[in-house]
Amino acid sequence: MAGFTLIEALVAVTLSAILVTLVTTVFFAQNQFYSEATLRSHVQENARSVTQFVTSELQSAGTEAFQLAENRQLRVRKPLALGIVCAIAGDDVHAYLLQGSENVVGNDVAGWGVRDTTGAWAYYTDTWSNLNVSSGSSSAFRCENSGADTVGATADFFRLRNVKNSSEPKPEVGWVVMVYQDLHYQFSASALETGTIGLYRGNYGDTLVELSTGMTANAGFRYRLAGDTTFLATVTGTQLDSIEAVRLTATAESTGQLDRTGDNTYSYGWTADILLKNVH
């Protein structure tokens, strides 16, 4: 090298090597930090999003809605639309559905229910195509004649077929009715991430879809009965009608994604107590 002694050249090369090593070390350390931060964020978001989604679905359930309540799965009648009977036409009832038809997806409808003056619910299996005779002006007109305010809401009035003939007690004007979905949640082996637990969701009897993956064996449901303070892992028989809260524990985990030795395993648990607002 022109202008440099041999010693100066060796020093320059050594300093360059040290600089490269330092830059490389900082780069990999920083990359490891961001990778771990991303992984932790992913695991936490997975657990939180599961609890938030399930909470939004289950909290609308009412009394006598649960058909299965186990630690790894539950089956519940989830209200798609709640309404008020506002007119009677033979065995049919005309009702104002508070949520309108936006939440009523025909394939999701498993039946309907009616709540009597004591607060007890009775449920009946049916399809939306058989249950819904018509909607709009005809039902709104009948309800308007009974004193209902239909301004700007004619599309939210429905005629429900053969309801009085098939139910006991028979609904009257002013009673609450419901169109419900037979919703099934189940924790089972993940099909998306081998070795972990997935949370599956869907209509009972249909193929369930994996809603979330990366759960551990500690994830599950527990149930609190009316008048109790503890949560049970399983509820059966007549006690199903007394469930007033569900505890969902979503424990998410990511194992060895950053290091094949598994040193970067990260677990995160998120628990939510879901109070069933239509029970009280």
Side-chain angles (χ1 to χ4, degrees):
M1 296 182 183
F4 283 90
T5 66
L6 178 60
I7 294 177
E8 289 174 331
L10 290 174
V11 169
V13 171
T14 302
L15 290 175
S16 297
I18 293 174
L19 180 60
V20 170
T21 301
L22 288 174
V23 170
T24 302
T25 302
V26 171
F27 172 78
F28 281 117
Q30 190 176 49
N31 185 61
Q32 179 80 359
F33 170 78
Y34 286 126
S35 296
E36 289 190 11
T38 300
L39 176 63
R40 290 171 182 265
S41 175
H42 171 74
V43 173
Q44 291 183 18
E45 183 60 29
N46 199 24
R48 288 185 177 129
S49 62
V50 165
T51 55
Q52 290 170 357
F53 182 84
V54 176
T55 296
S56 69
E57 291 214 305
L58 294 188
Q59 66 182 356
S60 62
T63 55
E64 305 169 55
F66 284 85
Q67 303 180 77
L68 181 68
E70 299 177 353
N71 183 237
R72 305 306 294 273
Q73 65 177 332
L74 65 80
R75 181 184 167 196
V76 64
R77 297 181 181 95
K78 171 203 167 187
L80 294 173
L82 289 167
I84 302 293
V85 176
C86 51
I88 304 291
D91 288 330
D92 300 344
V93 302
H94 296 273
Y96 171 66
L97 299 185
L98 306 181
Q99 294 95 339
S101 59
E102 293 181 1
N103 294 327
V104 181
V105 179
N107 292 336
D108 285 342
V109 175
W112 58 278
V114 59
R115 183 176 183 268
D116 65 24
T117 54
T118 69
W121 281 94
Y123 298 97
Y124 304 90
T125 302
D126 213 332
T127 63
W128 185 239
S129 59
N130 181 60
L131 186 62
N132 178 31
V133 179
S134 62
S135 63
S137 59
S138 177
S139 292
F141 177 77
R142 286 180 177 271
C143 288
E144 184 179 32
N145 287 341
S146 297
D149 183 3
T150 63
V151 176
T154 57
D156 295 335
F157 289 84
F158 292 82
R159 180 182 175 187
L160 306 179
R161 185 200 308 268
N162 206 29
V163 166
K164 285 183 68 70
N165 182 54
S166 58
S167 63
E168 189 63 46
K170 301 185 182 301
E172 300 295 340
V173 172
W175 284 29
V176 178
V177 291
M178 173 209 301
V179 177
Y180 71 83
Q181 175 183 11
D182 193 347
L183 184 62
H184 188 191
Y185 275 107
Q186 183 175 53
F187 284 101
S188 188
S190 172
L192 300 176
E193 187 175 347
T194 303
T196 68
I197 301 296
L199 178 59
Y200 294 77
R201 174 197 178 276
N203 295 324
Y204 180 74
D206 292 346
T207 300
L208 303 183
V209 176
E210 190 166 355
L211 178 67
S212 178
T213 188
M215 299 288 112
T216 73
N218 293 325
F221 302 101
R222 299 181 74 87
Y223 311 89
R224 193 184 74 204
L225 306 181
D228 289 348
T229 58
T230 58
F231 283 82
L232 306 174
T234 301
V235 176
T236 60
T238 57
Q239 288 188 319
L240 286 168
D241 295 343
S242 300
I243 295 175
E244 68 173 11
V246 177
R247 173 170 290 174
L248 168 63
T249 299
T251 51
E253 182 178 67
S254 184
T255 304
Q257 290 191 8
L258 299 180
D259 189 327
R260 293 183 179 180
T261 65
D263 291 340
N264 291 304
T265 297
Y266 178 70
S267 298
Y268 181 81
W270 185 267
T271 298
D273 287 346
I274 306 168
L275 304 179
L276 310 182
K277 61 183 181 181
N278 287 323
V279 166
H280 305 285

